[in-house]
Amino acid sequence: SIRAIYDGEMLNGKRHGVGKLTTKEYIREGTGKNDEFTGWGRESRPNGETLEGRFINGKLEGKGILRNSEGSSYIGDFVGSKKDGYGELDTEKANYRGEFKNNKFHGHGKIRIKEDDSEFEGIFRNGEIEKENANDLYGGNVSRGAKVEKIRETTACQAPDFITNFFSKLFS
């Protein structure tokens, strides 16, 4: 059975230069070097995700774009094909601008709920809100409990620990 189909430039019997590699896991289009996907390119996956940017040894590194089949997108920094550094994540329900580490909110970030255009700002660690008081940009400083209730109202979500559960699912 055929595991991969490659259409592109070769050098000394290895993929090298511009080409397209198709496997059951992905389609990679762009540049390669010494049989590795290295350089500017695009990776499309069967689940509808696409990654675009600069790849090093098959991993997205530096500035890039991730899109999924539901229309969500992330534009920002990547390390090892994971969101890491500063970026903007946009989904149907909300937008997050801020820092990421290992695909999770980590550092300073601002969330905007699209339904009512409310915004909240705070410090995150490993995907969870760290700072007890976050800034509600429309109503001043609010307690975590009041913030959770405000977000619950705008999204009709019933998760018991809304900040940690809702945002990890919404932006995963």
Side-chain angles (χ1 to χ4, degrees), residues 58-73:
K59 301 288 184 181
L60 187 58
E61 301 286 344
K63 302 290 183 200
I65 301 170
L66 167 66
R67 292 185 178 96
N68 72 19
S69 61
E70 287 84 37
S72 297
S73 65

Side-chain angles (χ1 to χ4, degrees), residues 133-144:
N133 290 310
N135 293 319
D136 174 347
L137 301 180
Y138 292 103
N141 226 15
V142 295
S143 71
R144 184 173 190 267

Side-chain angles (χ1 to χ4, degrees), residues 18-38:
V18 178
K20 179 178 178 180
L21 178 64
T22 304
T23 72
K24 65 180 181 179
E25 290 89 24
Y26 53 74
I27 297 172
R28 289 180 171 170
E29 300 173 271
T31 57
K33 183 177 180 181
N34 201 27
D35 256 356
E36 291 290 341
F37 190 47
T38 297

Side-chain angles (χ1 to χ4, degrees), residues 50 64-76 78 83 87-92 94-96 100 114 170-172:
T50 60
I65 301 170
L66 167 66
R67 292 185 178 96
N68 72 19
S69 61
E70 287 84 37
S72 297
S73 65
Y74 169 80
I75 299 172
F78 287 86
K83 297 179 282 288
E88 182 173 342
L89 187 57
D90 190 46
T91 73
E92 180 183 328
N95 173 277
Y96 172 83
F100 289 82
K114 292 181 178 180
L170 182 65
F171 295 119
S172 59

Side-chain angles (χ1 to χ4, degrees), residues 2 6 10 13 49 88 103 107 128 139:
I2 298 174
Y6 177 72
M10 304 279 289
E49 282 185 341
E88 182 173 342
N103 271 341
E128 297 181 17

